[in-house]
Amino acid sequence: MAAAGSGFEDPSADVLDRAAAAFGLLASPARLHIVWALAQGESDVTGLAERVGGALPAVSQHLTKLKLAGLVRARREGRRQVYLVDDPDVVDVVRLMVDRLSGRAGDIPAPRLRGL
C-alpha cells in the first residue's frame, strides 16, 4: 500500500515485524557491541568476551540469540567456534548509527551503558 501522496510503498506487516525483532536484539548495548566487534572481523567467544568486557557465559548467550535471529553465524575451526556476521546489511546499519552518534559525541550526553 502506498503512503498517501508519497509514491512509496509501505513495507508489509511481516517485514516490519522482522525489522522490529532485529532492532530489538540490537537494542541491547552488549549485543550491539558484539555485532560491532564482529563487523571488524571473526572471533571466538573468548576473544569477544575479552574485547567487550563481558563474562564468557553472558557473551555466549548473546551470541546464541544473535545466531537464532540470523544476524551472526558460527563455523568450526578445530575445537573452537568462530563467529562472524551473517548479514552485512545489519553491519551497515550498525556502523551508520555508531558513526553518526560518535560524530555528535560532544553535542549530546552519552547514554549510560550497562555492562554484560
Side-chain angles (χ1 to χ4, degrees), residues 3 17 20 22-23 25 30 32 37 39 43 45 48-49 55 74 78 89 95 98 101 104:
D17 285 344
F23 280 120
L25 278 170
L32 187 61
S43 181
V45 68
L48 281 170
D89 293 332
R95 282 187 175 147
V98 170
L101 292 174
R104 290 191 252 163

Side-chain angles (χ1 to χ4, degrees), residues 16-100:
L16 290 171
D17 285 344
R18 287 186 290 143
F23 280 120
L25 278 170
L26 295 174
S28 159
R31 286 191 289 273
L32 187 61
H33 195 172
I34 289 167
V35 171
W36 175 264
L38 290 175
Q40 314 311 312
E42 301 176 350
S43 181
D44 64 8
V45 68
T46 303
L48 281 170
E50 290 172 4
R51 178 159 181 186
V52 303
L56 210 61
V59 171
S60 184
Q61 287 178 355
H62 287 305
L63 285 166
T64 297
K65 289 179 182 181
L66 292 167
K67 198 167 137 185
L68 287 171
L71 300 179
V72 302
R73 65 183 166 94
R75 65 176 173 75
R76 189 143 302 277
E77 193 173 272
R79 300 176 92 180
R80 63 188 193 128
Q81 292 268 3
V82 176
Y83 292 88
L84 56 147
V85 174
D86 198 29
D87 189 340
D89 293 332
V90 169
V91 171
D92 291 342
V93 171
V94 169
R95 282 187 175 147
L96 176 67
M97 181 57 77
V98 170
D99 288 347
R100 291 270 174 121

Side-chain angles (χ1 to χ4, degrees), residues 1-12 16:
M1 166 184 292
S6 72
F8 292 104
E9 292 277 326
D10 286 338
S12 69
L16 290 171

